[in-house]
């Protein structure tokens, strides 16, 4: 009896030790696992939105998403990189950043960016030796609402919240006088208060792009902000351009059935002001003709060649002046870079579902 009891206790002890060893050696839930779950939920929401707007399958789970930051309400702010991320810096590759879904009630740009993702993935040989960074939904909190809104969850217009030099003196004044305190255009109580803006700035810092394409709706135009002014270097009537950023603007318009080009004013806190005017990064704003989701396929057909032209255009030697693409804003954004670097190891891992 004593021998049997001894064997039973010995067996139980072995199982306890073995179980402890196995559990100690196994991966417990990690931040990476949490990110996977967050991106799964993000893709679920994207699938629902595609179904809602009659767009078919989003293909969200077929991309290698990178993810560091979240929106106000905790949705991921992911992006996709085509081309080697490490070679972007070491080889100085031509780099383009494409941003969509800045205003959630501008529906068609989100589908437009997913069309870009699908197109590049299917035609990667066309874009060899280039890096393309695509963030298809910068403002998920507003887009995923039952009734989408322009502003984010803090009710801030994130295209008026960049820390431009004129923000302190003009942002709230413009909002009050020019827009009669329209809540849709509220720039926030201070610049860089919103995570969605911080996300965009850190993409600029991380990739040092040679150009930015920001897609909006529904103003039916192409606009340019960046090195040299249109008034000085672009004579549309005479068809005279320099061989650089403004030339690309003309080419994009021509590739899109002579789409209207407008020298749109810049605003305190806008991306065009922050990146184009202050940091000399050629910044192109494509305003699609409408936010009607039923027109999405038509818009991709109209602008696909223009997007191809923009990505393939090499602006590295044609900017005409030094850019300040990696220069962070003072104070809070510098802290953001430190936080970003802490998460670099995670963000460099492609997440495939």
């Amino acid at each position: 009896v004593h021998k049997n009891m001894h064997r039973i206790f010995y067996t139980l002890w072995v199982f306890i030790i073995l179980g402890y060893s196995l559990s100690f050696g196994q991966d417990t839930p990690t931040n990476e696992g949490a990110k996977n779950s967050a991106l799964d939920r993000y893709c679920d929401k994207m699938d629902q939105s595609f179904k809602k707007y009659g767009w078919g399958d989003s293909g969200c789970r077929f991309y290698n998403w990178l993810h560091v930051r979240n929106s106000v309400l905790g949705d991921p702010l992911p992006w996709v990189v085509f081309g080697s991320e490490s070679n972007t810096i070491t080889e100085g590759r031509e780099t383009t950043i494409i941003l969509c879904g800045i205003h959630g009630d501008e529906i068609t740009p989100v589908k437009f960016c997913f069309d870009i993702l699908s197109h590049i993935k299917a035609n990667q040989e066309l874009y060899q030796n280039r890096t393309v960074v695509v963030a298809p939904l910068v403002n998920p909190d507003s887009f995923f609402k039952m009734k989408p809104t322009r502003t984010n969850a803090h009710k801030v217009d994130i295209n008026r919240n960049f820390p431009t030099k004129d923000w302190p003196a003009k942002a709230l004044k413009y909002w009050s006088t020019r827009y009669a305190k329209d809540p849709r255009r509220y720039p926030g109580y201070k610049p860089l208060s919103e995570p969605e803006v911080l996300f965009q700035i850190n993409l600029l810092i991380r990739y040092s792009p040679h150009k930015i394409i920001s897609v909006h709706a529904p103003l039916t135009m192409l606009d340019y902000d960046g090195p040299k002014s249109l008034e000085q270097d672009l004579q549309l009537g005479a068809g005279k351009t320099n061989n650089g950023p403004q030339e690309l603007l003309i080419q994009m318009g021509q590739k899109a059935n002579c789409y209207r080009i407008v020298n749109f004013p810049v605003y305190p806190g806008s991306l065009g002001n922050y990146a184009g005017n202050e940091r000399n990064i050629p910044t192109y704003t494509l305003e699609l003709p409408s936010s009607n989701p039923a027109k999405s396929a038509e818009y991709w057909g109209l602008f696909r060649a223009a997007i191809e032209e923009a990505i393939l255009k090499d602006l590295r030697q044609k900017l005409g002046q030094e850019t300040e693409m990696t220069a962070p804003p003072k104070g809070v954004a510098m802290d953001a870079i430190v936080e970003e670097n802490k998460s670099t190891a995670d963000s460099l891992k492609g997440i495939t579902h």
Side-chain angles (χ1 to χ4, degrees), residues 7 18 36 48 51 54 64 66 71 98 104 113 142 167 181 224 257 260 301 314:
R7 288 190 185 118
L18 181 60
N36 277 320
Q48 293 168 11
K51 182 178 180 180
N64 292 329
L66 301 179
S71 67
I98 305 176
C113 252
S142 63
W167 201 101
K181 296 188 176 180
Y224 169 79
N257 293 339
R260 185 171 66 122
D314 190 342

Side-chain angles (χ1 to χ4, degrees), residues 283-338:
T283 302
Y284 302 87
T285 301
L286 169 58
E287 287 272 356
L288 301 178
S290 82
S291 292
N292 181 356
K295 297 283 188 178
S296 295
E298 176 185 329
Y299 297 159
W300 174 240
L302 176 61
F303 294 107
R304 183 181 67 181
I307 294 298
E308 289 176 347
E309 186 76 22
I311 294 172
L312 293 172
K313 183 75 170 180
D314 190 342
L315 295 182
R316 287 173 295 179
Q317 305 302 323
K318 300 176 181 178
L319 294 180
Q321 55 185 288
E322 290 298 317
T323 61
E324 300 175 19
M325 294 174 277
T326 59
K330 296 179 181 179
V332 63
M334 180 61 74
D335 296 335
I337 298 171
V338 174

Side-chain angles (χ1 to χ4, degrees), residues 28 51 67 75 89 126 153 200 204 207 210 246 263 280:
T28 55
K51 182 178 180 180
H67 165 220
D75 270 316
I89 303 301
L126 297 177
Q200 294 174 84
L204 304 188
Y207 295 105
H210 298 96
Q246 294 85 6
N263 188 22
N280 295 321

Side-chain angles (χ1 to χ4, degrees), residues 175-189:
W175 176 61
S176 178
T177 58
R178 188 182 182 97
Y179 292 113
K181 296 188 176 180
D182 179 358
R184 284 169 40 82
R185 289 175 169 80
Y186 176 55
Y189 69 97

Side-chain angles (χ1 to χ4, degrees), residues 125-335:
E125 70 282 356
L126 297 177
Y127 306 102
Q128 291 180 356
N129 301 319
R130 282 169 169 74
T131 298
V132 186
V133 179
V134 183
L137 183 52
V138 175
N139 196 349
D141 295 346
S142 63
F143 178 76
F144 285 141
K145 283 183 177 180
M146 183 66 68
K147 186 177 180 181
T149 59
R150 177 183 174 93
T151 56
N152 74 348
H154 285 158
K155 300 186 184 304
V156 172
D157 182 345
I158 62 172
N159 201 32
R160 299 291 184 270
N161 190 247
F162 282 85
T164 54
K165 295 174 183 177
D166 59 356
W167 201 101
K170 294 183 178 180
L172 289 168
K173 182 178 179 180
Y174 262 55
W175 176 61
S176 178
T177 58
R178 188 182 182 97
Y179 292 113
K181 296 188 176 180
D182 179 358
R184 284 169 40 82
R185 289 175 169 80
Y186 176 55
Y189 69 97
K190 68 176 182 178
L192 200 59
S193 61
E194 305 310 303
E196 298 88 353
V197 178
L198 194 55
F199 163 68
Q200 294 174 84
I201 287 177
N202 275 290
L203 287 183
L204 304 188
I205 294 168
R206 184 183 186 119
Y207 295 105
S208 298
H210 298 96
K211 63 181 107 61
I212 301 167
I213 303 170
S214 181
V215 186
H216 289 262
L219 297 185
T220 316
M221 68 176 192
L222 275 165
D223 177 45
Y224 169 79
D225 297 296
K228 308 292 185 181
S229 69
L230 283 173
E231 292 86 352
Q232 293 174 344
D233 292 301
L234 184 61
Q235 300 179 38
L236 296 178
K240 298 178 181 179
T241 69
N242 69 347
N243 188 28
Q246 294 85 6
E247 179 190 46
L248 174 56
L249 180 71
I250 296 294
Q251 291 169 339
M252 290 175 69
Q254 291 172 342
K255 292 286 185 179
N257 293 339
C258 297
Y259 203 61
R260 185 171 66 122
I261 295 174
V262 176
N263 188 22
F264 205 67
V266 295
Y267 294 95
S270 70
L271 173 66
N273 195 353
Y274 177 82
N277 289 354
E278 295 187 359
R279 280 158 181 76
N280 295 321
I281 308 172
T283 302
Y284 302 87
T285 301
L286 169 58
E287 287 272 356
L288 301 178
S290 82
S291 292
N292 181 356
K295 297 283 188 178
S296 295
E298 176 185 329
Y299 297 159
W300 174 240
L302 176 61
F303 294 107
R304 183 181 67 181
I307 294 298
E308 289 176 347
E309 186 76 22
I311 294 172
L312 293 172
K313 183 75 170 180
D314 190 342
L315 295 182
R316 287 173 295 179
Q317 305 302 323
K318 300 176 181 178
L319 294 180
Q321 55 185 288
E322 290 298 317
T323 61
E324 300 175 19
M325 294 174 277
T326 59
K330 296 179 181 179
V332 63
M334 180 61 74
D335 296 335

